Amino acid sequence: MKRIDSVNAREDVNGPGKKGFHDNADLPGQDATYLTPDWLNAIQEELANLIEKNGIPLDPNSHIQLFELLATKNGVQIDLDTIENVLNQFADTIEVRLQQLQRDQENADNELQTQLQDAIEQLQQQISNLSSGLASLYPKVIMAGVIKPGQAWEINKPAGSNISFLDTRYAIQITPEGGHEAWGISRQDTKIGISVFDRSGTNRVGYSGNISWSIIQTEGLTSSAGNSDYIYTGTPVVFPILAGESKSFLLIGAGGGSGSSRYEDLVANSNPATLKGMDGEATYLSIDGTNIIFTAGGGKAGIGGVDGGNGQYINGTAGTGGQWTISGEYTSATRSNGQAGNATGANHTGAATDSNGRGSGADGADGYITATQGFGGGAGEGARLSIIYTNNTANTQYARLYVGGAGKGESSLLTTDGNGNTVTPANYIAGKNGSNGFARVSSAV
């Protein structure tokens, strides 16, 4: 007998010094363990010798020679129940391994999603910083063109633009390309009229050449008011957005509180009260005087579990993730709903895909007797919303920003003594609090 010894056999997989088979999925570029002719021949001869050395010639038309030999040798009968138990144990082992592989894949997927979200957020911030830097450089040409013979001698405001040509911060440059005596302009809110004069003898006549023109912005119109990172304070913050100004917002809802674990006699009361933590608050931004509101909803709380002893218990339930909503106009948006918490014996943690822990749901309480029985459900995390808004009106608008507060863990059975100290009853583990929401405001193009 020999163990597999192909080039990609796994070392120590069956114990120290014992090579074996493996899918090698955890080794980049490595194939699963190959079968070799030497090893297959060894297995073949081990089985064939067992039959032949008992005086039985091999019968290529029979597939039960080994069974018949073992079932009748020296009057010993195969214990079919034992074989079934072995096969069941083997099946259970395979099932546990498959579940572990599935959990590993889910964890890897969640980690990749977190890295992608962080990379997108960093890229958006870099673009915003670059745009802010470019936006602060003046003077700059914002419009340019050529009026050809036969076209109307006027410059029109682009559709949807907030520019007013009556604003002297927009300088006008005119360059006729042929000989001329003089030129003039007339400003209106939505257009600029142009006149160019030529001379023929003593009479002025209309100019017939090309006219190059440009509109130059001489100073900035935006404001850095409100640009900052914001955490939970319990009160909204109000700041202006000037006419024509764009702002970039990152909104993260708060995480929910987790479920607790407690004792209750499930024989006397098979349907105990459901104890739940508190949901996380939403983080939102609204524009006063409009129906515009951008909301990153808070994560939902986990529900507590009960252990009644004597093997009777009720596990908690996980909270769902927060949901985003958008009402009113915006320039662009990237959004994702929060992930739900977990509620299994092996894993009853809160959802936490943000690498900085912002808006994370709280971990559920371990079962007060056995961690995996009667545990509290993990809470959901807050939703995430990155959005750009432009004030397309001619007036200053005021934004109202509120950062959501974390949901508290289930703690209804806690009391206080005469000195104000918290008292935890026996056979009770309170739930944990979630993480507060977050907001970032920056200038955008």
Side-chain angles (χ1 to χ4, degrees):
M1 193 73 178
K2 65 178 292 184
R3 292 188 171 89
I4 187 68
D5 59 355
S6 57
V7 293
N8 46 11
R10 193 62 171 261
E11 297 288 347
D12 303 327
V13 72
N14 295 309
K18 298 179 180 180
K19 293 183 178 180
F21 293 90
H22 200 280
D23 61 10
N24 293 326
D26 57 336
L27 300 177
Q30 179 71 284
D31 293 332
T33 305
Y34 297 149
L35 296 175
T36 64
D38 288 344
W39 185 81
L40 291 172
N41 285 328
I43 297 300
Q44 172 184 282
E45 292 308 307
E46 285 282 348
L47 296 174
N49 284 332
L50 183 61
I51 296 173
E52 290 179 330
K53 290 186 180 298
N54 277 277
I56 302 172
L58 296 179
D59 183 356
N61 296 317
S62 175
H63 295 166
I64 60 172
Q65 284 187 280
L66 186 60
F67 170 79
E68 291 175 339
L69 172 65
L70 297 177
T72 59
K73 183 66 174 176
N74 297 324
V76 177
Q77 298 295 320
I78 292 178
D79 187 344
L80 296 180
D81 289 339
T82 299
I83 293 176
E84 182 178 0
N85 290 336
V86 171
L87 292 176
N88 287 337
Q89 292 174 6
F90 182 61
D92 290 343
T93 301
I94 292 177
E95 178 64 22
V96 170
R97 178 57 179 162
L98 289 175
Q99 291 177 355
Q100 181 61 49
L101 290 174
Q102 182 179 4
R103 287 194 296 271
D104 291 346
Q105 184 63 49
E106 290 174 349
N107 292 336
D109 290 344
N110 289 337
E111 178 63 23
L112 178 59
Q113 181 65 27
T114 298
Q115 293 175 359
L116 288 175
Q117 286 184 338
D118 290 343
I120 291 173
E121 180 181 329
Q122 292 174 7
L123 179 59
Q124 288 176 331
Q125 185 62 45
Q126 291 173 0
I127 293 174
S128 177
N129 293 340
L130 176 60
S131 298
S132 299
L134 293 175
S136 64
L137 298 177
Y138 297 96
K140 65 177 69 177
V141 176
I142 62 169
M143 295 174 61
V146 175
I147 299 174
K148 297 181 179 181
Q151 294 179 335
W153 284 14
E154 60 186 25
I155 303 170
N156 294 297
K157 182 176 74 172
S161 172
N162 294 317
I163 293 174
S164 171
F165 287 135
L166 296 175
D167 189 338
T168 57
R169 288 175 292 190
Y170 297 105
I172 305 166
Q173 182 175 6
I174 302 294
T175 306
E177 295 182 352
H180 65 280
E181 178 184 355
W183 55 266
I185 61 172
S186 60
R187 290 178 179 262
Q188 299 180 41
D189 180 43
T190 60
K191 68 180 181 179
I192 297 170
I194 301 173
S195 299
V196 181
F197 301 99
D198 200 354
R199 176 177 288 276
S200 176
T202 59
N203 298 318
R204 290 185 174 180
V205 297
Y207 175 77
S208 60
N210 292 328
I211 301 172
S212 298
W213 60 268
S214 62
I215 307 297
I216 301 172
Q217 186 176 343
T218 61
E219 61 183 83
L221 307 177
T222 62
S223 168
S224 61
N227 290 358
S228 185
D229 287 353
Y230 295 89
I231 59 176
Y232 170 72
T233 62
T235 57
V237 176
V238 178
F239 53 87
I241 303 179
L242 304 182
E245 183 179 18
S246 295
K247 290 285 192 184
S248 174
F249 304 101
L250 169 63
L251 308 176
I252 300 177
S258 68
S260 60
S261 176
R262 73 184 192 273
Y263 170 79
E264 190 159 341
D265 189 342
L266 294 177
V267 175
N269 181 13
S270 61
N271 188 27
T274 299
L275 300 184
K276 179 183 178 182
M278 296 180 62
D279 297 341
E281 292 184 323
T283 295
Y284 67 86
L285 180 124
S286 61
I287 306 297
D288 289 355
T290 73
N291 66 343
I292 296 171
I293 182 168
F294 310 135
T295 304
K300 303 304 181 182
I303 296 176
V306 178
D307 195 329
N310 299 319
Q312 299 185 53
Y313 58 87
I314 300 173
N315 290 332
T317 304
T320 57
Q323 307 291 298
W324 59 264
T325 59
I326 296 177
S327 176
E329 63 183 24
Y330 60 92
T331 302
S332 66
T334 302
R335 48 244 156 146
S336 59
N337 291 323
Q339 299 293 317
N342 300 288
T344 66
N347 181 11
H348 37 276
T349 58
T353 60
D354 184 85
S355 60
N356 294 313
R358 300 170 298 191
S360 299
D363 295 344
D366 288 341
Y368 81 94
I369 296 178
T370 302
T372 57
Q373 296 180 2
F375 56 79
E381 65 179 352
R384 190 184 194 98
L385 181 60
S386 296
I387 197 162
I388 296 176
Y389 170 75
T390 300
N391 178 4
N392 289 318
T393 72
N395 303 311
T396 297
Q397 293 181 323
Y398 288 90
R400 190 172 299 269
L401 174 66
Y402 180 81
V403 177
K408 294 183 178 180
E410 198 290 305
S411 57
S412 61
L413 301 186
L414 296 180
T415 59
T416 55
D417 58 20
N419 297 322
N421 298 316
T422 300
V423 178
T424 303
N427 304 333
Y428 178 71
I429 300 177
K432 299 177 182 178
N433 298 337
S435 296
N436 292 325
F438 175 82
R440 172 174 292 155
V441 181
S442 57
S443 297
V445 177

